[in-house]
Amino acid sequence: MKITKKLLLRKNDFKPSFANWKVGGVFNPAAIRMHNKKIFLYARVAESSETHGSSALHCPIITSKEDYEAVNERVSKEQVVGHDRNVIYLKSGICRLTNLSHFRKVILSEEGIKINEISNVPSFTGKPYDGEFGVEDPRIVQIGKKYYMTYVAISKREGISTALAESLDLEHWQRRG
C-alpha cells in the first residue's frame, strides 16, 4: 500500500477577511469528531494587511465587540527597538504582532482526508476585551452535552493568556475568561 503525504490545509485554501489583507498561514487546528462522524476543525488563520511590507510599521488590532472589525495601528519608529517579520519590539518592553489570528471552521470527511467545507469568514475571533491582538492554539473537548474550548488570547490588558469558551453546537460560544 502506497502512502501519499500531503498538507491537508494550505494558506491558499483560505480567503482574506478584509480587502488588502493576505493570509500568511494556517496552523495547528483543534479537532473533534461530530455526531455525524465528520471531523470539525477550528484552524488558526494568521493574516496581515498589505501595509506589512511598507516602510511604516503597523500592528493590527480588533476594534469591534460585535462584528469582526480590525484596523492597523501605526507604530512610531521612535518607540521601536527592533522588529522582525512577525513581531515589533517596543522600548516599553511590549511586543506587538504584525499579524492577526482567528479561527475558521473546517469540516472534514469521516476519514479525515477529504475537505467538505471551509468557512470563508472567521468563525471565532478575538474581542477588544478578550484577544484584541488575536486568538491562537484552540483545543476542543466534549463533556456531556457541552463543548469546551481552550485557546490563547493575546490582549493589551492580559498579555498572552489561556482562555475558555463553551458551546452546545460548536458555533455559538460563551466566553468564560
Side-chain angles (χ1 to χ4, degrees), residues 75-129:
V75 177
S76 159
K77 289 191 178 185
E78 293 79 40
Q79 297 175 309
V80 176
V81 293
H83 67 89
D84 58 33
R85 204 177 106 212
N86 298 314
V87 180
I88 297 173
Y89 306 95
L90 303 178
K91 290 178 183 174
S92 64
I94 293 174
C95 301
R96 291 287 306 270
L97 299 173
T98 58
N99 59 48
L100 190 61
S101 292
H102 60 270
F103 308 146
R104 297 268 183 106
K105 178 175 74 172
V106 177
I107 305 296
L108 302 179
S109 63
E110 290 181 30
E111 305 79 31
I113 297 172
K114 181 181 172 215
I115 298 170
N116 290 350
E117 175 188 340
I118 294 179
S119 178
N120 286 325
V121 296
S123 303
F124 188 94
T125 67
K127 301 285 184 186
Y129 58 89

Side-chain angles (χ1 to χ4, degrees), residues 32-174:
I32 193 161
R33 189 168 299 275
M34 300 185 306
H35 296 294
N36 65 5
K37 304 295 183 207
K38 292 182 180 179
I39 298 172
F40 175 97
L41 301 179
Y42 252 173
R44 172 187 163 216
V45 175
E47 297 184 73
S48 61
S49 72
E50 295 296 330
T51 59
H52 177 65
S54 71
S55 59
L57 297 173
H58 293 85
C59 299
I61 185 170
I62 295 170
T63 58
S64 171
K65 291 182 181 178
E66 302 304 318
D67 300 319
Y68 185 56
E69 296 175 9
V71 297
N72 272 308
E73 289 185 343
R74 187 183 176 120
V75 177
S76 159
K77 289 191 178 185
E78 293 79 40
Q79 297 175 309
V80 176
V81 293
H83 67 89
D84 58 33
R85 204 177 106 212
N86 298 314
V87 180
I88 297 173
Y89 306 95
L90 303 178
K91 290 178 183 174
S92 64
I94 293 174
C95 301
R96 291 287 306 270
L97 299 173
T98 58
N99 59 48
L100 190 61
S101 292
H102 60 270
F103 308 146
R104 297 268 183 106
K105 178 175 74 172
V106 177
I107 305 296
L108 302 179
S109 63
E110 290 181 30
E111 305 79 31
I113 297 172
K114 181 181 172 215
I115 298 170
N116 290 350
E117 175 188 340
I118 294 179
S119 178
N120 286 325
V121 296
S123 303
F124 188 94
T125 67
K127 301 285 184 186
Y129 58 89
D130 175 40
E132 68 267 21
F133 298 142
V135 291
E136 302 181 358
D137 304 327
R139 300 293 179 262
I140 298 174
V141 66
Q142 184 177 10
I143 302 173
K145 292 185 179 191
K146 287 187 180 181
Y147 295 96
Y148 294 90
M149 175 174 63
T150 60
Y151 59 97
V152 173
I154 305 167
S155 68
K156 223 181 248 190
R157 190 180 77 219
E158 301 295 329
I160 300 168
S161 59
T162 301
L164 176 69
E166 67 180 48
S167 173
L168 291 170
D169 61 6
L170 293 170
E171 289 192 34
H172 304 92
W173 293 91
Q174 284 285 95

Side-chain angles (χ1 to χ4, degrees), residues 15-31:
K15 295 179 181 171
S17 301
F18 306 105
N20 300 319
W21 282 55
K22 63 182 178 181
V23 174
V26 56
F27 307 96
N28 52 351

